[in-house]
Amino acid sequence: MSDGDGDAGGRTEISTETDPSVLVLRKGTHGVPIEEYAAALRDRLPDGSVELARTPAAERESIRDAEFVTGMVLEEPLLERAENLEVFACAYAGTGHLPMDRLEQRGVTVTNASGVHGPNIGEHVLGSILRFTRRFHVGNRRQRRREWRHYQAHELQGSMVTIVGLGAIGTAVAERLEPFGVETVGIRYTPEKGGPTDEVIGFDPEALHEALARTDYLVLACPLTETTRGLIDRDAFVTLDPEAVLVNVARGPVVDTGALLEAVRSNWIRGAALDVTDPEPLPEDHPLWNFENVKITPHNAGHTPKYYDRLAEIVAENARRFAECDGDGIDLENQVRP
């Protein structure tokens, strides 16, 4: 935490209160009322104060004196009214939508919701893999036609699954695949850290393509960065086996959409399960909608009825740590800045 005047990221006296105080901003997520998030925080901070700013005017007024704020977004006009802000607990795992440069200038500590999505997105990936393994989409088509006719399927056991990104989501995917008897390769920036997969490699192009050549199911669970943007391009699709399946729960631009269309049309891959697309939302007239072997969900893998509960566990603990800090520094869970 830092000292100084208002424009330079200034602070008033560091709070020495032992009872946590949290301001919740009004935007919710996944169609679940933000009141449920505030309630979950109050349950975990019975001796603290949790204020929900339910209108724009309430946000503008309450954030002026707030030191610990949580929410999905924090736009610059509102940030400029936050005279005493010390911590912003972002309620999303990603922070690219935040004014991070200005937050850094102001000396604000930023945390995220990393780990909240692990179980539900892990299950979404597993369901997507099993759909293609057992070809449930073919069974659905024949049921609609009332057609009792056998079809060939696949077996997951003994397959190779490559997981790009070994954060909370990639780890959850690997853990859920373990009972199925598959081999796993994880791809991360720091392969020396190891991971939950049988093998861990970095983003070196040669190592990446060597893994792709052995891959039956390619799972993308990485953030969108300069390294991962367009990572799965035409060369990657050519390297993949024609029986390989792509599952993308990362971000749409990790995949070159034009190359994906060519791969599907030319039978370079068996299919794709896309929870994210580029562009997003996917336009109604986009050709990706028309392929039976492309399963599209509307960025829905992150939905879980337990979202606010998991998020509140992280944020409540951080609010307690902040309230108890002595001004010499603070160590928060999921801290992304500084």
Side-chain angles (χ1 to χ4, degrees), residues 37-318:
Y37 179 33
L41 284 169
R42 291 184 183 113
D43 286 345
R44 290 158 177 80
L45 297 171
D47 298 323
S49 169
V50 177
E51 177 185 358
L52 173 58
R54 199 61 186 83
T55 66
E59 286 184 335
R60 291 192 296 269
E61 179 63 28
S62 298
I63 204 170
R64 189 178 300 278
D65 298 320
E67 295 182 338
F68 191 107
V69 177
T70 183
M72 309 293 163
V73 297
L74 179 60
E75 296 176 348
E76 284 206 55
L78 190 60
L79 173 59
E80 294 311 307
R81 302 179 69 92
E83 298 176 1
N84 299 303
L85 183 62
E86 294 286 345
V87 177
F88 181 69
C90 181
Y92 289 135
T95 57
H97 63 289
L98 298 177
M100 294 297 285
D101 290 344
R102 185 58 180 140
L103 286 162
E104 183 172 2
Q105 292 171 5
R106 293 279 304 273
V108 176
T109 298
V110 178
T111 65
N112 68 7
S114 177
V116 170
H117 283 308
N120 46 293
I121 296 186
E123 292 172 3
H124 184 99
V125 170
L126 185 58
S128 298
I129 290 175
L130 290 173
R131 175 187 186 269
F132 279 96
T133 300
R134 301 308 303 169
R135 301 186 71 200
F136 291 133
H137 53 294
V138 177
N140 288 341
R141 184 181 69 233
R142 296 191 180 184
Q143 180 178 349
R144 288 194 302 270
R145 296 174 177 175
R146 302 182 184 183
E147 181 182 5
W148 187 276
R149 184 161 60 90
H150 289 279
Y151 57 91
Q152 293 183 334
H154 301 268
E155 188 171 296
L156 183 55
Q157 181 171 287
S159 298
M160 171 68 79
V161 182
T162 296
I163 305 170
V164 182
L166 291 180
I169 293 171
T171 296
V173 171
E175 290 172 348
R176 280 153 181 77
L177 285 170
E178 188 173 354
F180 288 86
V182 301
E183 293 184 61
T184 52
V185 174
I187 301 177
R188 69 187 314 172
Y189 290 107
T190 51
E192 62 273 10
K193 289 184 177 179
T197 51
D198 298 314
E199 181 184 348
V200 180
I201 63 173
F203 283 92
D204 173 74
E206 290 188 10
L208 171 65
H209 278 262
E210 192 279 331
L212 293 179
R214 298 182 285 137
T215 296
D216 297 298
Y217 297 91
L218 174 61
V219 178
L220 306 180
C222 54
L224 179 62
T225 66
E226 290 184 9
T227 299
T228 61
R229 182 180 294 274
L231 180 71
I232 308 305
D233 56 9
R234 190 179 191 275
D235 281 347
F237 284 116
V238 171
T239 298
L240 284 166
D241 189 276
E243 287 297 307
V245 172
L246 170 70
V247 180
N248 190 5
V249 292
R251 288 293 184 267
V254 175
V255 177
D256 181 321
T257 300
L260 172 60
L261 272 170
E262 186 178 7
V264 174
R265 285 171 171 159
S266 303
N267 294 316
W268 291 352
I269 58 173
R270 177 153 48 102
L274 309 175
D275 189 57
V276 290
T277 60
D278 181 27
E280 188 174 308
L282 194 65
E284 291 182 14
D285 60 351
H286 199 284
L288 277 175
W289 289 111
N290 300 324
F291 298 98
E292 186 183 44
N293 62 336
V294 176
K295 177 63 176 175
I296 298 172
T297 49
H299 209 142
N300 206 64
H303 179 267
T304 168
K306 299 182 183 295
Y307 188 92
Y308 286 145
D309 286 330
R310 293 188 190 127
L311 176 62
E313 289 288 340
I314 298 169
V315 175
E317 172 59 26
N318 283 341

